[in-house]
Amino acid sequence: MDDVCCSIGTAEALDEASARDSARILKAIADPNRLRLLSIVKHGPADGTCVCDLTEPLQLGQPTVSHHLKILVDSGLLAREKRGTWAYYTLVPGSLDKAAALISEL
């Protein structure tokens, strides 16, 4: 009976580096404002959503929105492209699928 209780499953557990990468992505989306930003960008123009169009829907100041966008870019969920004085954001292809898979693959 003790052998059954203490046996290790056949699936491999998440290693430290993978856990760290997964946590970075999950922390990035674990904020209501960042979830809204992802949704706005996802449903925005295919060629990108201007940062100038992201402050009003969230009713947040530009520095706060920029902070949230930086976290989303650093986590690999959004891509940033500078056009003149404005930055445009697009969803990284497959990034939301990857984020969704992080939970189900545990």
Side-chain angles (χ1 to χ4, degrees), residues 31-74:
D31 179 274
N33 291 313
R34 291 193 285 266
L35 284 174
R36 291 187 65 206
L37 285 168
L38 283 170
S39 178
I40 293 167
V41 170
K42 178 182 178 186
H43 294 96
D47 65 340
T49 303
C50 181
V51 67
C52 62
D53 295 325
L54 296 172
T55 55
E56 187 178 326
L58 272 63
Q59 297 182 342
L60 296 172
Q62 187 274 328
T64 303
V65 171
S66 291
H67 168 74
H68 288 303
L69 289 167
K70 180 180 180 342
I71 291 171
L72 292 169
V73 169
D74 290 348

Side-chain angles (χ1 to χ4, degrees), residues 14-26 106:
L14 199 58
D15 63 64
E16 185 177 346
S18 296
R20 200 174 303 118
D21 290 342
S22 296
R24 180 178 44 83
I25 293 169
L26 294 174
L106 287 175

